[in-house]
Amino acid sequence: MAEVMSMEDIRTEASRLNIDLSVVDWNSVYVPPGEDFGIKSDDEDLNEEDSLEFDGGFGNVIVVDNLPVVPREKFEKLEGVVRKIYSQLGVIKENGLWMPVEEETGKTRGYCFIEYNTSQEAELAKEKTNGYKLDRAHIFSVNIFDEIEKFMRVPDEWAPPESKPYTSGENLQHWLTDEKGRDQFVIRAGSDTEVLWNDARQVKADPVYKRPFWTESFVQWSPLGTYLATVHRQGAAVWGGASTFNRLMRYAHPQVKLIDFSPGEKYLVTYSSHEPSNPRDSHRVGLNIFDVRTGKVMRDFKGSADEFAFGGTGGFTGVSWPVFRWGGGKEDKYFARLGKNVISVYETETFSLIDKKSIKVENVTDFSWSPADPIFALFVPEQGGGNQPARVSLFQIPSKQELRQKNLFSVSDCKMYWQSEGEYLAVKVDRYTKTKKSTYTGFELFRIKERDIPIEVFELENKNDKIIAFAWEPKGHRFAVIHGDNPRPDISFYSMKGGKVSKLTTLKQKQANALFWSPGGRFVILAGLKGFNGQLEFFNVDELETMATAEHFMATDIEWDPTGRYVATSVTSVHEMENGFNIWSFNGKLLYRILKDHFFQFLWRPRPPSFLSPEKEEEIMKNLKKYSKKYDVEDQDITLLLSEQDREKRKQLKEEWNRWVNEWKKYHQQDKMDRQMLRDGEASDVEEEYEAKEVEIEELVDVSEEIVADA
């Protein structure tokens, strides 16, 4: 076996050789055959135990029984019906549907065999169609082919199953019961991924779990904070817990590049793309939708990148991401994707299209779900040189009923913004002027919860101002707009209360180009990123006053914690210097700072919605002073403890300094005789007691002879 080196040894050796490990392409590193250097990969057992694709048995073959027995002339029709049903649940292999026929009569035998690409597809087909009612007389009975042998081994006499003792798993929400009410976050720096508590009262980050090479590209929390997902060459994995972070499930999808959770954490979408053998062809794209808890593939989609390139931005090879957008709130009932002239809406009960067909909308370019209800808004640009206006429409699912439509004229571009609870929809519309040489911006504001969904047209006082940023207040009725063409733009705040838009205030000439509302509303950070070098202004919208101004030089990211108590600002590895993160209080006080070389990610762990009713929350707010007394005492104790710790630290530093001075005096005394000899017997060390004299010393440096020729 080869010599085993620790990570510390590897880092030391890399530093000696001037190798930057953060830029090493680990995919190009291969170990000798059969050699693992004593380290078992997280992905090895993925292949050894589960062998999810193309297994050696017949786990990818299903047997469908109770089919109609039909003569030869109806064979093709029956085969077409069966193929249509089962091709929706997976990819049937070529010649993968076989329906046996009686030789004597020429009639089918009432069953068929269907071979899928993967065993997951076969399992899904069995789960979804076992008991499927084709008509009154024919109800499908579906089994996996491998199970037939198991059925043949069933004993004639029944024996009770062996009971196994119940072993409870770790409570995945246990971290929410932290006595200090702290929040967790995950960071990636170099090769390490680490989960920490934000212990702001102790002014530090408290380590929870750390692991090198935990992921091969990035990590991602699930929307409710139950799982932490990691990405590997063989697929994705989810981990959970409060302190141990055990692996809960793996999802095999080779070369996965992107992942996305459904809002209720029930499903995980994975994405991969592969270069075609012919350079003229587009990339091949593969998407799997997994059940998060069981790891089953509920539906897969395959095709060229062009088929998934409609609408949106991001992703790889021109594919918009996320390809599937989830609707219906946290129930995960529906998901949809944009196609050419269609919006395809699927329901998760059968993972098939609603009513078995897409919604046809000519020239649709974008759509966006309400965060709370099964309603989506879509945008269709102008057609025919302006003869056919652009429009925004609201559709309800599953009825596919159009709830509201607004025609828009002279439209250059359009963008939709939903309020977090789905109460309002803002449509930012860039319109051409009459000369068509420039554009101006206005807003169409939809009041979704009100009768007939009234729409209000809203424009800035100077409608020619460039809109730099727009953001709704979470759980609130206000919104903020950064606007203007100056290097220092203005920021305006508006309210939707009272049935019409009213202006609250305008802040003039601010160094800001981004808005970050607190999750609870009320507070907002006016941030100057990129060209503004990390300027921060903490603003109280209730009081319309600035609480603090600060700077995190070169900050690239800003993220509120899920409670709205703390804010993290970070500098990632896009900059070579000052990598790391700062933790601030909601009112702009810097609590602590941690520097990390090659810093890649900072993510707060999300919290699930509170189980408290609105009435209970209101009661707590009314009696907040009574509840806060307990925590005021705790805060006072912690303050005293921190003061005591500071005094102890200063005492230790002073003692360390005195020890160093005494050691120095000891060495100074020991060298006294040597110093006296160097001074020709003079005993004193005080320079002022000596007289400085200048002594001239002549020294022969060189002698040379030169013969001068006679003239």
Side-chain angles (χ1 to χ4, degrees):
M1 179 175 174
E3 181 183 354
V4 177
M5 297 179 69
S6 68
M7 273 308 303
E8 192 59 39
D9 293 335
I10 293 173
R11 291 191 182 100
T12 303
E13 184 67 12
S15 176
R16 187 182 69 81
L17 298 173
N18 292 322
I19 297 174
D20 186 355
L21 291 178
S22 67
V23 299
V24 173
D25 181 9
W26 297 103
N27 291 331
S28 65
V29 179
Y30 294 92
V31 298
E35 180 58 69
D36 61 6
F37 291 93
I39 303 172
K40 187 173 179 63
S41 167
D42 285 333
D43 296 331
E44 284 180 12
D45 54 355
L46 192 71
N47 296 321
E48 293 172 1
E49 297 172 10
D50 291 342
S51 187
L52 290 174
E53 294 207 19
F54 305 106
D55 22 29
F58 295 96
N60 60 329
V61 178
I62 62 172
V63 183
V64 183
D65 205 355
N66 292 341
L67 292 176
V69 176
V70 299
R72 191 177 300 278
E73 56 268 21
K74 292 185 178 181
F75 181 90
E76 289 187 7
K77 183 177 180 180
L78 177 60
E79 184 185 39
V81 170
V82 173
R83 186 178 293 276
K84 184 177 180 180
I85 293 171
Y86 284 94
S87 61
Q88 296 183 47
L89 301 170
V91 179
I92 299 175
K93 284 190 174 183
E94 187 177 355
N95 300 321
L97 196 161
W98 180 49
M99 197 176 298
V101 176
E102 289 278 2
E103 293 182 5
E104 297 177 359
T105 63
K107 292 183 178 181
T108 60
R109 295 187 174 185
Y111 60 89
C112 72
F113 300 89
I114 300 175
E115 184 179 8
Y116 286 104
N117 273 340
T118 68
S119 58
Q120 287 88 355
E121 293 172 328
E123 288 283 355
L124 178 63
K126 174 192 171 184
E127 181 181 338
K128 296 299 182 184
T129 62
N130 187 36
Y132 178 83
K133 190 174 182 180
L134 185 65
D135 54 42
R136 288 185 179 181
H138 300 93
I139 300 175
F140 290 176
S141 176
V142 185
N143 291 287
I144 304 296
F145 188 85
D146 278 350
E147 293 176 346
I148 295 176
E149 184 179 355
K150 181 182 71 175
F151 297 148
M152 297 296 291
R153 295 198 304 266
V154 175
D156 295 333
E157 294 184 7
W158 179 83
E162 181 183 353
S163 60
K164 296 181 179 179
Y166 171 75
T167 55
S168 61
E170 184 179 5
N171 181 359
L172 300 181
Q173 275 73 42
H174 181 68
W175 65 279
L176 294 167
T177 64
D178 179 60
E179 291 182 354
K180 299 179 181 178
R182 300 174 297 179
D183 280 288
Q184 289 185 348
F185 58 86
V186 63
I187 61 172
R188 280 201 314 118
S191 60
D192 294 332
T193 302
E194 189 172 2
V195 179
L196 304 103
W197 288 109
N198 172 37
D199 201 340
R201 296 164 84 185
Q202 296 279 1
V203 199
K204 65 177 182 178
D206 193 5
V208 176
Y209 186 80
K210 183 177 181 179
R211 182 168 178 165
F213 302 106
W214 198 356
T215 181
E216 295 184 34
S217 54
F218 62 91
V219 294
Q220 183 173 322
W221 292 110
S222 59
L224 304 180
T226 307
Y227 310 106
L228 180 67
T230 56
V231 178
H232 311 271
R233 274 175 281 184
Q234 294 297 328
V238 294
W239 313 70
S243 57
T244 56
F245 281 89
N246 297 312
R247 184 173 57 201
L248 305 174
M249 186 55 64
R250 301 178 302 266
Y251 312 94
H253 189 160
Q255 304 303 319
V256 63
K257 291 182 172 65
L258 295 169
I259 61 173
D260 183 45
F261 282 95
S262 62
E265 301 184 339
K266 294 180 182 177
Y267 306 106
L268 176 71
V269 182
T270 58
Y271 164 90
S272 65
S273 66
H274 307 277
E275 292 187 8
S277 54
N278 186 345
R280 296 180 180 178
D281 295 336
S282 62
H283 282 64
R284 300 297 296 173
V285 167
L287 292 124
N288 289 340
I289 302 180
F290 292 92
D291 183 294
V292 169
R293 291 190 177 183
T294 65
K296 288 184 179 179
V297 177
M298 308 307 293
R299 180 75 192 265
D300 69 346
F301 296 82
K302 294 181 174 67
S304 68
D306 296 337
E307 297 176 45
F308 299 93
F310 298 98
T313 57
F316 288 84
T317 64
V319 172
S320 65
W321 187 256
V323 172
F324 298 112
R325 307 176 196 179
W326 293 87
K330 299 288 191 295
E331 296 179 1
D332 295 346
K333 281 188 174 181
Y334 310 106
F335 63 96
R337 58 174 278 226
L338 185 65
K340 187 176 182 181
N341 300 323
V342 296
I343 295 176
S344 301
V345 184
Y346 302 82
E347 47 84 17
T348 54
E349 187 174 343
T350 62
F351 280 84
S352 58
L353 288 168
I354 293 178
D355 299 332
K356 300 183 179 179
K357 57 184 178 181
S358 299
I359 302 173
K360 292 186 178 180
V361 185
E362 288 294 323
N363 303 304
V364 60
T365 59
D366 196 13
F367 79 101
S368 178
W369 285 99
S370 162
D373 303 299
I375 297 172
F376 66 78
L378 62 83
F379 170 66
V380 178
E382 286 183 350
Q383 303 298 319
N387 294 326
Q388 186 176 340
R391 79 175 193 271
V392 172
S393 297
L394 293 173
F395 277 82
Q396 190 168 45
I397 299 300
S399 65
K400 300 183 181 178
Q401 176 189 358
E402 188 176 44
L403 301 176
R404 194 72 161 86
Q405 177 180 312
K406 180 66 182 289
N407 290 334
L408 307 168
F409 298 90
S410 301
V411 175
S412 165
D413 194 16
C414 177
K415 192 170 183 181
M416 296 173 283
Y417 303 87
W418 283 95
Q419 186 252 13
S420 64
E421 294 182 325
E423 293 193 10
Y424 309 108
L425 170 67
V427 179
K428 182 173 77 75
V429 184
D430 297 333
R431 288 184 168 92
Y432 291 110
T433 58
K434 291 182 179 180
T435 62
K436 301 285 186 180
K437 293 182 179 179
S438 60
T439 61
Y440 66 96
T441 302
F443 292 87
E444 306 284 334
L445 302 175
F446 293 69
R447 297 177 184 268
I448 305 297
K449 304 290 186 179
E450 296 183 20
R451 184 177 179 180
D452 297 329
I453 311 181
I455 303 172
E456 187 171 353
V457 179
F458 164 69
E459 292 180 346
L460 297 172
E461 293 174 0
N462 181 2
K463 65 180 184 181
N464 293 319
D465 272 2
K466 178 183 177 183
I467 303 297
I468 298 170
F470 174 97
W472 286 104
E473 175 187 27
K475 303 177 182 178
H477 55 87
R478 295 173 290 202
F479 62 88
V481 184
I482 303 180
H483 56 94
D485 297 312
N486 299 323
R488 289 172 172 255
D490 298 338
I491 303 174
S492 297
F493 293 88
Y494 299 86
S495 171
M496 296 286 287
K497 260 189 174 180
K500 64 176 184 179
V501 178
S502 58
K503 182 178 175 181
L504 301 176
T505 190
T506 294
L507 309 177
K508 296 289 187 180
Q509 297 187 347
K510 293 293 181 178
Q511 286 185 286
N513 52 18
L515 298 161
F516 298 91
W517 282 96
S518 164
R522 185 180 177 185
F523 307 112
V524 64
I525 295 176
L526 316 176
L529 305 179
K530 298 180 180 178
F532 287 129
N533 289 326
Q535 297 296 319
L536 306 172
E537 182 170 343
F538 295 78
F539 192 76
N540 183 337
V541 185
D542 280 359
E543 305 297 332
L544 297 178
E545 64 180 12
T546 298
M547 298 180 290
T549 57
E551 180 186 63
H552 186 175
F553 185 61
M554 296 192 297
T556 55
D557 298 278
I558 297 175
E559 188 175 357
W560 285 86
D561 86 326
T563 66
R565 297 175 296 173
Y566 306 104
V567 182
T569 60
S570 56
V571 179
T572 57
S573 59
V574 295
H575 295 299
E576 294 182 358
M577 300 171 58
E578 300 294 324
N579 279 199
F581 63 93
N582 291 357
I583 300 295
W584 311 76
S585 66
F586 74 93
N587 57 358
K589 179 183 178 182
L590 179 61
L591 301 177
Y592 60 91
R593 182 185 189 194
I594 295 180
L595 296 177
K596 291 277 186 179
D597 290 335
H598 307 298
F599 189 72
F600 301 119
Q601 267 187 294
F602 181 104
L603 295 171
W604 290 104
R605 188 172 192 173
R607 283 178 175 264
S610 171
F611 288 118
L612 297 176
S613 65
E615 294 76 20
K616 186 64 177 176
E617 289 186 355
E618 187 176 349
E619 179 192 335
I620 292 173
M621 290 299 294
K622 286 181 179 178
N623 299 289
L624 194 59
K625 288 186 177 180
K626 181 179 72 175
Y627 294 119
S628 64
K629 287 181 180 178
K630 169 188 172 184
Y631 300 104
D632 289 340
V633 172
E634 289 184 6
D635 288 344
Q636 187 176 2
D637 291 343
I638 290 173
T639 302
L640 292 173
L641 177 63
L642 291 175
S643 299
E644 183 63 32
Q645 289 175 347
D646 286 341
R647 284 194 294 271
E648 187 66 27
K649 187 175 181 180
R650 289 195 297 270
K651 181 180 177 182
Q652 290 177 358
L653 289 173
K654 184 178 180 181
E655 290 175 353
E656 186 177 342
W657 166 257
N658 289 333
R659 281 196 301 271
W660 185 86
V661 170
N662 291 333
E663 287 289 327
W664 184 86
K665 288 181 177 179
K666 178 181 176 182
Y667 292 134
H668 186 77
Q669 186 65 28
Q670 290 175 351
D671 295 340
K672 182 176 181 180
M673 296 302 297
D674 295 334
R675 293 196 306 277
Q676 188 172 345
M677 289 177 60
L678 292 171
R679 289 193 296 265
D680 295 331
E682 294 291 342
S684 177
D685 285 326
V686 181
E687 292 185 7
E688 286 77 3
E689 296 182 6
Y690 297 93
E691 179 183 352
K693 292 183 179 180
E694 292 185 5
V695 179
E696 293 185 4
I697 299 175
E698 293 184 0
E699 183 179 352
L700 183 63
V701 177
D702 190 20
V703 176
S704 62
E705 291 185 5
E706 184 178 351
I707 300 174
V708 180
D710 294 337

